[in-house]
Amino acid sequence: MRIIKKYSNRRLYDTTTSSYINLDDLATLIRAGESVQILDAKSSQDLTRSILFQVLIDSQQTLELLPVPLLHRMIRMSAPAQPMVSVMQKQLVAGFVMLDKQFEALEKQLQWLTPPSHRPHTSSSSPPPVSESPPPDDHDELSHLRDRLAALEARLEKDP
């Protein structure tokens, strides 16, 4: 886990490389598979969640993530006097946890499509399981995929 310190002047300091980074650099690290923890340099308070959320919000692609009516509703319900605040928070957390699990499963299923240099670093200290049989070479795997595609096409032709 890479430790990033946030100073009062809003600067982020990467303790691994001993250099200052910006939010774009932080996003690049995470896209490369790094896990980070962001701490306040003075108090050591964990700021990871808020800084990562800021990275998401600053991303152009994220602007469409949440519909405007939902944002209005969330702001309305976040008032301290609202009795539904804890219900809303629990629902949002549960929904995002479920989404995260779905993304994790998808990443595992599609990992063979990702070049090893772009795969996320795993925090597990155990080595990957040893396969009983030698891994198929690319040619065998490609042939297998072609055979499966041909079989699927044949099924589609039979069942219009």
Side-chain angles (χ1 to χ4, degrees):
M1 166 108 29
R2 192 177 281 225
I3 303 296
I4 309 293
K5 292 187 178 183
K6 181 180 180 286
Y7 287 91
S8 58
N9 62 0
R10 296 182 173 186
R11 295 195 69 187
L12 299 172
Y13 183 77
D14 184 345
T15 59
T16 302
T17 61
S18 300
S19 62
Y20 287 99
I21 62 172
N22 59 32
L23 292 177
D24 289 336
D25 298 331
L26 183 60
T28 301
L29 284 173
I30 293 168
R31 286 184 190 112
E34 290 283 341
S35 293
V36 300
Q37 182 178 25
I38 303 156
L39 303 173
D40 182 273
K42 197 172 197 178
S43 69
S44 295
Q45 178 186 0
D46 190 348
L47 304 173
T48 307
R49 185 183 316 261
S50 62
I51 299 297
L52 294 182
F53 196 70
Q54 185 179 353
V55 168
L56 266 179
I57 295 301
D58 288 350
S59 167
Q60 292 294 330
Q61 299 164 348
T62 310
L63 293 177
E64 302 297 321
L65 182 65
L66 299 172
V68 172
L70 176 62
L71 293 172
H72 282 120
R73 188 168 287 110
M74 289 171 66
I75 291 169
R76 271 190 229 109
M77 294 179 85
S78 68
Q82 288 291 333
M84 295 294 289
V85 170
S86 67
V87 172
M88 178 193 67
Q89 288 175 344
K90 287 178 184 175
Q91 283 296 113
L92 282 171
V93 168
F96 284 126
V97 166
M98 188 175 5
L99 181 63
D100 182 49
K101 287 180 182 179
Q102 290 173 341
F103 280 144
E104 183 178 5
L106 182 65
E107 285 175 345
K108 285 180 182 176
Q109 289 175 355
L110 299 179
Q111 189 171 26
W112 64 274
L113 290 174
T114 309
S117 62
H118 290 89
R119 290 184 188 152
H121 300 298
T122 58
S123 59
S124 123
S125 59
S126 61
V130 177
S131 172
E132 293 296 322
S133 60
D137 64 15
D138 289 342
H139 180 70
D140 289 343
E141 187 174 356
L142 187 56
S143 295
H144 176 70
L145 289 172
R146 284 186 180 136
D147 292 343
R148 287 183 61 194
L149 181 59
L152 287 171
E153 287 174 342
R155 279 182 54 195
L156 285 174
E157 288 175 6
K158 287 180 185 176
D159 301 325

